[in-house]
Amino acid sequence: MIPSEVVTFFRSTIEATWPHTPVSWPNEQPFDPAGGAYLALTFPMFYETLASFGSPGSSYLAGEGAAHIELLTPLGAGLDDASAPWQTRLMTLVALLRPKTFANGLGNTFDVASFHESVEDSYFVRSLAIPYEFQRFG
């Protein structure tokens, strides 16, 4: 299960810095982008191991995962036009998400692990993964 502190970090950062499009959050009410651009965020994986065994509540758990961010723009909208600089906007957002420390030092994000472009239906999709690690006691 994705730690809530991880979701809170990504969500609060995106909500505070991404005014350009609606955002599709994991497992929330679907929205109709009406053919316009939108940002989608998912957390496809998280792996946690017991790093140190202690008394109940004091075992140290270390985990890592990745946030998957997709920027979907209508086909033909261009890559980085002056009127809609999508690539510049996405890279600005990514710079705000990595490398960062969050949750009072328990979490860290790293540089983009993968970047992919594709076409899905009537959208041009820029897809990237931002890896993170998270430690906690449990």
Side-chain angles (χ1 to χ4, degrees), residues 21-22 24 32 44 47 50 52 55 61 101 103 126 129:
T21 67
S24 174
D32 179 11
Y47 176 75
L50 182 63
S52 174
S55 60
L61 301 159
T101 298
R126 294 168 186 87

Side-chain angles (χ1 to χ4, degrees), residues 37-59:
Y38 68 97
L39 193 74
L41 175 71
T42 58
F43 298 94
M45 53 91 51
F46 179 72
Y47 176 75
E48 189 171 56
T49 59
L50 182 63
S52 174
F53 185 75
S55 60
S58 63
S59 293

Side-chain angles (χ1 to χ4, degrees), residues 5-125:
E5 295 90 344
V6 171
V7 176
T8 298
F9 165 74
F10 279 94
R11 185 170 189 141
S12 63
T13 302
I14 291 170
E15 285 179 339
T17 60
W18 186 262
H20 311 294
T21 67
V23 178
S24 174
W25 302 105
N27 200 32
E28 290 193 3
Q29 288 287 7
F31 67 95
D32 179 11
Y38 68 97
L39 193 74
L41 175 71
T42 58
F43 298 94
M45 53 91 51
F46 179 72
Y47 176 75
E48 189 171 56
T49 59
L50 182 63
S52 174
F53 185 75
S55 60
S58 63
S59 293
Y60 177 70
L61 301 159
E64 55 187 38
H68 182 231
I69 299 172
E70 289 184 316
L71 174 61
L72 295 92
T73 54
L75 285 175
L79 293 177
D80 212 23
D81 296 341
S83 63
W86 295 113
Q87 193 72 16
T88 299
R89 290 172 179 170
L90 184 60
M91 291 302 103
T92 299
L93 176 63
V94 166
L96 295 170
L97 293 170
R98 56 89 181 145
K100 297 291 181 199
T101 298
F102 60 95
N104 295 320
L106 296 176
N108 296 295
T109 61
F110 301 100
D111 210 354
V112 173
S114 67
F115 182 82
H116 178 73
E117 295 178 336
S118 62
V119 173
E120 291 179 23
D121 298 322
S122 59
Y123 286 98
F124 183 75
V125 182

